[in-house]
Amino acid sequence: MLFFIDTANLDQIKEAKDLGILDGVTTNPSLMAKEGITGKNNILKHYKNICKLVDNDVSAEVIALDFKNMIREGQELADLDENIVVKVPMTIDGIKAINWFTEHSIRTNCTLVFSAGQAILAAKAGATYLSPFVGRLDDTSWDGMALIAEISDIYEKQLYDTMILAASIRTSLHIVQAAKANADVVTCPLSAILGLFNHPLTDIGLAKFLADHNKSNG
Ligand code: G3P
């Protein structure tokens, strides 16, 4: 399972990259706004800066809701860097746009996916990645991780190439569950990645090793 970080924060991207386990970055308009990145030129410049930091796929989302402008924005984003993946919402125009991008060899990430039916549409249109929002489903008492497993089952049976990118990940446990549910990629906040390191027995064991070493070595 690939590890992507879900942020537009350059420091956090760098910290995750320095861990040596980072495979890519996803962003969305909310994450860009959170970093105070506003205005078209600044947004495009920020994507370029992210691409300079990581030599991996970077998902950059279109703002337009209509086919024509999705294509225009998506082409502009794709022209920024070969690692840009154009993120497109799961709508009728979005699926038409994904189909168009596929025909023009531009890679896509279909976002805001909440059902298996939507996942089938995105795969038919040739999406490179599919982003089901696990945490937001959990928020509504639907089982987000069950959706990942269901889509994985369908994609395996139908031999679809689209990669399942578990998104809206909130906790370290979500990451483990995404791996069990057969997600191809998980995109998560830095805190969820760092949480994977933690276990009290590791800390206790390390302290004992050190104490024993110091006892016998003076
Ligand atoms: O990957 C999508 C993500 O950014 C949404 O996360 O926590 O706002 O549901 P969240």
Side-chain angles (χ1 to χ4, degrees):
M1 183 173 73
L2 299 177
F3 267 50
F4 287 6
I5 188 165
D6 194 27
T7 185
N9 182 290
L10 297 179
D11 291 336
Q12 291 188 13
I13 293 169
K14 188 169 179 332
E15 193 176 335
K17 185 191 168 194
D18 288 347
L19 291 173
I21 48 95
L22 189 66
D23 301 302
V25 178
T26 53
T27 63
N28 62 40
S30 303
L31 294 172
M32 294 294 270
K34 193 172 162 197
E35 297 308 314
I37 317 293
T38 54
K40 186 178 162 191
N41 289 345
N42 289 334
I43 289 172
L44 295 181
K45 206 163 99 191
H46 198 71
Y47 283 134
K48 273 189 99 81
N49 287 335
I50 295 175
C51 290
K52 265 188 227 154
L53 254 185
V54 293
D55 191 19
N56 294 108
D57 285 356
V58 174
S59 286
E61 189 158 341
V62 297
I63 304 296
L65 297 178
D66 65 291
F67 173 78
K68 199 170 142 223
N69 284 308
M70 279 180 176
I71 300 302
R72 186 183 49 76
E73 283 182 21
Q75 280 179 307
E76 210 166 356
L77 291 168
D79 284 346
L80 290 175
D81 192 283
E82 63 179 14
N83 283 334
I84 289 281
V85 176
V86 179
K87 210 169 173 187
V88 181
M90 164 47 72
T91 60
I92 289 178
D93 281 45
I95 287 297
K96 287 181 188 169
I98 288 171
N99 198 45
W100 189 94
F101 288 130
T102 305
E103 280 169 6
H104 291 80
S105 303
I106 293 175
R107 293 175 311 136
T108 53
N109 176 351
C110 182
T111 190
L112 290 168
V113 170
F114 294 94
S115 77
Q118 292 177 329
I120 292 171
L121 289 171
K124 290 285 290 175
T128 314
Y129 296 103
L130 177 90
S131 290
F133 276 31
V134 171
R136 291 194 195 180
L137 274 170
D138 287 359
D139 288 343
T140 59
S141 83
W142 289 61
D143 187 343
M145 224 37 93
L147 177 63
I148 300 290
E150 185 185 11
I151 295 170
S152 167
D153 187 43
I154 292 169
Y155 278 14
E156 217 171 281
K157 284 182 178 141
Q158 298 296 329
L159 305 178
Y160 290 140
D161 292 333
T162 300
M163 284 188 280
I164 303 168
L165 189 162
S168 181
I169 291 293
R170 307 270 175 76
T171 65
S172 306
L173 180 59
H174 267 160
I175 298 176
V176 175
Q177 290 170 330
K180 282 170 143 177
N182 219 14
D184 299 291
V185 189
V186 68
T187 190
C188 31
L190 181 62
S191 58
I193 298 175
L194 294 178
L196 293 175
F197 284 92
N198 297 338
H199 199 288
L201 288 178
T202 304
D203 301 337
I204 292 167
L206 198 57
K208 181 159 168 42
F209 283 157
L210 199 62
D212 290 346
H213 172 83
N214 289 343
K215 232 186 283 167
S216 40
N217 288 274

